[in-house]
Amino acid sequence: MLSRTIWPTFFCFLLISYGSLKPTTLSNYHFPYEDKVLHFACYFVFSIVLSLYSMGFKWGDKSIKLRFLFVIGFGSFVGCFLEIVQANFTQNRLGEWADVGMNSIGL
């Protein structure tokens, strides 16, 4: 069961990584704060996929708390990591604390 559920999680991670690191310009936005809404929506979907993935683990008596911590912890790590990569290793992307905040709210 665990091996089947890792692929949607991995695919979601790849989509978020691609969206975070691909070259873009600010003229692509259609409404104010579209970037922040997209961060929220992507990480909300990512949290659902991570939650489904975490159901395959044997957590024991504290399963709900541990699954919650896993989703929040791993999702936050991914969000922070990608913002650091944006800030330091891309030419036309900026890592922003507001993006990290919207990622976390989406989780």
Side-chain angles (χ1 to χ4, degrees), residues 50-51 53-54 57 59 65-76:
L50 277 175
S51 182
Y53 173 65
S54 71
F57 294 129
W59 296 102
K65 291 179 185 177
L66 290 175
R67 279 193 355 232
F68 177 77
L69 288 174
F70 171 75
V71 170
I72 298 299
F74 187 74
S76 296

Side-chain angles (χ1 to χ4, degrees), residues 20-94:
S20 295
L21 301 175
K22 73 177 178 77
T24 187
T25 61
L26 292 177
S27 63
N28 292 341
Y29 297 139
H30 303 295
F31 57 89
Y33 303 110
E34 179 181 0
D35 176 44
K36 307 307 178 232
V37 172
L38 289 172
H39 276 271
F40 172 81
C42 289
Y43 279 83
F44 180 74
V45 171
F46 190 46
S47 71
I48 292 170
V49 173
L50 277 175
S51 182
L52 292 173
Y53 173 65
S54 71
M55 287 181 183
F57 294 129
K58 303 280 187 216
W59 296 102
D61 294 339
K62 300 178 181 180
S63 66
I64 292 174
K65 291 179 185 177
L66 290 175
R67 279 193 355 232
F68 177 77
L69 288 174
F70 171 75
V71 170
I72 298 299
F74 187 74
S76 296
F77 172 78
V78 168
C80 289
F81 176 76
L82 288 174
E83 290 300 318
I84 290 169
V85 170
Q86 275 184 358
N88 296 307
F89 300 106
T90 61
Q91 295 292 327
N92 63 348
R93 299 297 298 253
L94 301 172

